[in-house]
Amino acid sequence: MSSSKNSIEPVGQTCAGRTVIESLSRLVIVSTLFVALIAAAPSFGQLPEKAGPANSAEGPGAPPKSALDETIEQLKSQGKTEEATFLTKQQERANGFGKSDKEWGVIFGRLVAPGSDKLQLCDAQMAIHPSGWFAGDVGDIEKPVEFRMWGYHPVLIKHGGVAGASVNVGDIVLKPFLFDELATVRAELLFEGKVDPAAVSVSVMMQHPPVNSRSGGTDGNIPWPEKEAIAIGPDFRIQRTGLNPMPHYFFIKAPGHLPFRREFNLEPGGTADVGVLRIALSTAFEMEFSIADGLDFTKAERRKQTVHAGDQFQTNPAGKEWVEAGTLRIPEKKRAYTFHCALASLVVTDLGEGKLDDHLKPVHRERQRGEAVELPAIADGHVYLITHDMKKMWKHSTLMRVKMTSGQ
């Protein structure tokens, strides 16, 4: 009996202890689940987990929601409507090209540059919000997208997903250069003819990173005068310190002179003396314009304007969103001049030598679809007709007579 009693007592103790143990077990399980739920929820101010092209649909028949969509909704829930609106517009822009045979995609994330409050001035192919958020298309997902910023090491980011996906690349942290890694450049300016130093603009800029967008264009390259502008000394010498050790270029503009560009490379901690930079006088052109709706210029008003080679000038009163469409520039190469336009849809036709009155109802051949754009060389005294391929958005035509007034 003693043996039986001893065998029963532990059972009684076990039953009594089981209630306590089971209660403790339930408490541990509930606590574990609560902690797991907290860990699974995205924390405020952080990006969601990196995702592939899309997460599961929210309901039967609903389209899948991309990782970028989720980030935008999370920003809205945090009251960051400005950032959410910015990313929404960038997403629409990135997806606005329609279908493509190329292996394209979209990347988004947040740029972080310790010690900088000018994140929007980072040189990248997409616009960057002052808070660091960015989203942009990638033309070839097998090639990287580069971010370059004054005072920081450049960073290369790859899409890393499948074609057509919007991929979260997370926080892109730029590492500052050490003080002794930064470089210096010196040069002396020599102008042909007289020039007022106060009217001269000199900038030193990092070479822009390669473009890997679907259009081949960029929203980056935003001027940063605080860093790029250089003051000219009384002896026409210039110097800039604190430059990233990478390729740069000078860009110099002065009234009546050709725009000047000179590339140079910088080594870590080094000083580059590029010597004397010779800036030549520019040829001047007297332009006479006549602008009309359609191709009848008999009652069109006229205006005149003097333009120097290298200058940009407006030829047409385009709508606000199409200002560049009416912009021409006259680049110079070995004292020969041609036209250059900002948009390929602008068409310039040489009507031959004469006056505007000789071409009041010009006839010209419409450019065929897919035909290459070839802008004519400039001939003194010739009249040119400027039209546009996008007829629905471009309702004006321009007659323009060009007369060289100097530098012939």
Side-chain angles (χ1 to χ4, degrees), residues 3-170:
S3 175
S4 292
K5 186 177 181 180
N6 290 338
S7 64
I8 293 173
E9 284 178 355
V11 173
Q13 292 172 359
T14 301
C15 290
R18 182 178 300 157
T19 303
V20 176
I21 292 172
E22 287 179 350
S23 298
L24 290 173
S25 298
R26 291 192 187 98
L27 181 60
V28 170
I29 292 171
V30 171
S31 300
T32 302
L33 288 173
F34 182 70
V35 171
L37 286 172
I38 293 176
S43 60
F44 291 110
Q46 292 183 343
L47 290 166
E49 290 295 321
K50 290 189 178 182
N55 296 324
S56 59
E58 290 187 339
K65 186 173 293 184
S66 74
L68 181 50
D69 290 326
E70 291 183 343
T71 297
I72 291 171
E73 289 185 2
Q74 182 181 358
L75 288 171
K76 290 179 180 178
S77 70
Q78 296 172 8
K80 298 179 179 179
T81 55
E82 184 181 326
E83 291 89 337
T85 300
F86 172 82
L87 289 182
T88 299
K89 290 181 178 179
Q90 291 300 106
Q91 182 184 41
E92 292 171 353
R93 182 183 180 90
N95 294 325
F97 294 98
K99 294 183 179 180
S100 173
D101 295 332
K102 296 181 179 179
E103 296 291 300
W104 69 280
V106 174
I107 60 172
F108 72 96
R110 185 170 46 194
L111 190 70
V112 179
S116 176
D117 59 354
K118 299 287 182 68
L119 298 176
Q120 71 274 18
L121 297 180
C122 177
D123 196 351
Q125 67 184 40
M126 71 281 290
I128 298 174
H129 190 269
S131 64
W133 287 99
F134 65 87
D137 61 283
V138 179
D140 186 345
I141 60 175
E142 297 301 321
K143 296 180 180 179
V145 173
E146 186 171 352
F147 296 78
R148 295 181 182 179
M149 190 167 178
W150 191 286
Y152 295 84
H153 289 264
V155 173
L156 294 171
I157 300 299
K158 289 196 71 173
H159 182 272
V162 298
S166 63
V167 173
N168 170 12
V169 295

Side-chain angles (χ1 to χ4, degrees), residues 287-291 301-305 314-316:
M287 304 288 197
E288 186 178 7
F289 299 96
S290 180
I291 302 171
E301 294 185 4
R302 300 181 184 184
R303 63 181 176 88
K304 289 186 178 182
Q305 179 182 353
Q314 290 292 324
T315 66
N316 238 312

Side-chain angles (χ1 to χ4, degrees), residues 148-274:
R148 295 181 182 179
M149 190 167 178
W150 191 286
Y152 295 84
H153 289 264
V155 173
L156 294 171
I157 300 299
K158 289 196 71 173
H159 182 272
V162 298
S166 63
V167 173
N168 170 12
V169 295
D171 284 355
I172 308 303
V173 181
L174 301 182
K175 176 184 175 183
F177 279 107
L178 298 177
F179 175 77
D180 58 3
E181 292 178 316
L182 297 173
T184 299
V185 64
R186 300 190 185 110
E188 179 183 352
L189 308 184
L190 182 60
F191 290 90
E192 181 181 6
K194 295 182 179 181
V195 66
D196 179 5
V200 179
S201 168
V202 181
S203 300
V204 58
M205 290 174 275
M206 287 183 290
Q207 286 284 11
H208 306 302
V211 176
N212 181 16
S213 63
R214 296 179 70 186
S215 66
T218 173
D219 286 335
N221 308 345
I222 301 174
W224 197 345
E226 174 189 347
K227 299 284 189 181
E228 298 167 348
I230 302 179
I232 303 176
D235 55 358
F236 283 88
R237 292 183 180 274
I238 56 177
Q239 177 173 306
R240 168 64 77 193
T241 59
L243 298 173
N244 288 12
M246 61 176 58
H248 283 68
Y249 66 93
F250 283 119
F251 187 68
I252 303 170
K253 293 188 68 176
H257 289 73
L258 290 172
F260 181 92
R261 176 179 171 129
R262 171 66 60 82
E263 299 178 1
F264 58 92
N265 195 18
L266 293 171
E267 300 296 333
T271 297
D273 191 332
V274 299

